[in-house]
Amino acid sequence: MTANAKSFEERAASEPTDLHKAFAEWLFIQTGIKPDLKTVQLTCAFRMDFQKSEENQKDLKARKAAALAKKQKAAADKRARLEKQLAALQAELAKEDTAQTAASMPAETAAPTAPAAPAEPEKPAKATPARRTRRTAAAAK
C-alpha cells in the first residue's frame, strides 16, 4: 500500500520524534557530521515508501538486468579464452604426435625375410612340480 501525496505532506509536516532526535545524535557521534534533524525524520519516515515506489522498482530491475548482462558477458569471454587455450594445446599435441610418429618410423623398410627353419623340433617345456603345502595340526586330525 503506497501513500498518496497528501499523506506524504501530512507526515512531512509532523515534528521529529524522540527516536529521530536520538538517531540524529547517534549519527553525529558515529560520523562526526551533524545531520539536519528534519532530514533524518524524513529519511526514516519515507524510506520504505521509496523502496516500494515504481521509480525505485524500475531502477532495481534495470540494475539487475545490467548485472546479469555483465555476468553473461564475463562468462562468454571466459569461455572464449578457454576455448582459445584449448585449441592452442590441441595444436601443440598434434605437432608432438606428428613428430613422434615420424621419428618412430624407419626411413626404409627392408623386404621381409622368411624365417629360418628350425634345425630340431622344439622340446616340450619341462613340467614344473606341484607346490607342496603345509599341513596344519588341525588338518591332520
Side-chain angles (χ1 to χ4, degrees), residues 10-33:
E10 289 172 357
R11 288 166 56 198
S14 66
E15 290 298 314
T17 65
D18 289 339
L19 176 67
H20 299 138
K21 292 173 186 173
F23 186 41
E25 183 64 27
W26 182 83
L27 286 171
F28 175 68
I29 292 169
Q30 299 301 316
T31 64
I33 298 170

Side-chain angles (χ1 to χ4, degrees), residues 58-71:
K58 285 179 187 175
D59 184 50
L60 286 174
K61 285 180 186 177
R63 287 183 10 218
K64 284 181 182 179
L68 178 62
K70 183 178 178 181
K71 184 177 180 181

Side-chain angles (χ1 to χ4, degrees), residues 7-141:
S7 170
F8 284 138
E9 290 172 4
E10 289 172 357
R11 288 166 56 198
S14 66
E15 290 298 314
T17 65
D18 289 339
L19 176 67
H20 299 138
K21 292 173 186 173
F23 186 41
E25 183 64 27
W26 182 83
L27 286 171
F28 175 68
I29 292 169
Q30 299 301 316
T31 64
I33 298 170
K34 184 75 173 166
D36 175 52
L37 184 57
K38 193 65 174 177
T39 303
V40 172
Q41 176 198 2
L42 293 175
T43 302
C44 291
F46 296 126
R47 180 177 179 272
M48 293 310 296
D49 293 308
F50 170 73
Q51 292 281 19
K52 293 185 273 182
S53 71
E54 287 181 36
E55 298 87 2
N56 187 51
Q57 292 301 313
K58 285 179 187 175
D59 184 50
L60 286 174
K61 285 180 186 177
R63 287 183 10 218
K64 284 181 182 179
L68 178 62
K70 183 178 178 181
K71 184 177 180 181
Q72 288 173 337
K73 183 184 181 318
D77 290 347
K78 183 176 182 179
R79 182 181 179 95
R81 186 176 67 254
L82 291 173
E83 286 175 348
K84 184 178 177 182
Q85 288 175 346
L86 177 62
L89 289 172
Q90 287 174 335
E92 188 177 319
L93 284 174
K95 275 186 188 176
E96 288 177 10
D97 286 346
T98 303
Q100 285 178 352
T101 302
S104 68
M105 294 180 73
E108 286 186 29
T109 56
T113 58
E120 293 181 25
E122 291 185 26
K123 293 180 183 178
K126 280 187 177 180
T128 57
R131 280 184 74 185
R132 295 180 6 169
T133 60
R134 280 168 96 185
R135 293 186 187 187
T136 62
K141 289 182 185 181

